[in-house]
Amino acid sequence: MSGGGRRKSSSGGGGGGAQIIILVVGIVLMILAPIIAQVIYFAISRKREYLADATSALYTRYPEGLASALEKLQTNNTQVKMLTSYGTHVYQQSLL
């Protein structure tokens, strides 16, 4: 009964390959997760923009006028001043 109650594994430490695979998969996911999150963010943003345009067309009941206004905004070359971090809270919408 000497040995302090320790068991010797019969496999001889064969689990190292699985640990390396898990490590590689973890690193790949750490790299890809922000990219995937940004793609999902853009998809949701595009969907919200489409729904906002569709809703405004329903409210105004004049989709041609709305389309014309959007075209005018698109062709406008006026420089818009960028917001500082102090003014961005005014333009952010609550998701709750």
Side-chain angles (χ1 to χ4, degrees):
M1 299 262 292
S2 66
R6 293 185 182 183
R7 295 185 188 178
K8 293 184 179 180
S9 69
S10 60
S11 65
Q19 290 176 350
I20 292 174
I21 292 172
I22 290 173
L23 178 66
V24 170
V25 168
I27 291 172
V28 169
L29 287 176
M30 285 174 50
I31 293 169
L32 291 180
I35 297 169
I36 293 170
Q38 193 67 36
V39 168
I40 291 171
Y41 173 79
F42 286 147
I44 291 172
S45 177
R46 175 66 60 121
K47 178 82 173 179
R48 289 180 69 191
E49 182 179 346
Y50 173 77
L51 288 174
D53 289 343
T55 303
S56 61
L58 285 175
Y59 283 153
T60 60
R61 297 183 184 193
Y62 184 55
E64 293 83 13
L66 180 64
S68 173
L70 290 174
E71 287 173 359
K72 287 178 185 177
L73 287 173
Q74 185 177 9
T75 58
N76 188 359
N77 293 329
T78 305
Q79 290 286 354
V80 178
K81 206 176 1 171
M82 296 299 289
L83 289 176
T84 63
S85 61
Y86 299 112
T88 57
H89 69 280
V90 175
Y91 297 99
Q92 291 178 352
Q93 180 181 9
S94 175
L95 297 177
L96 297 177

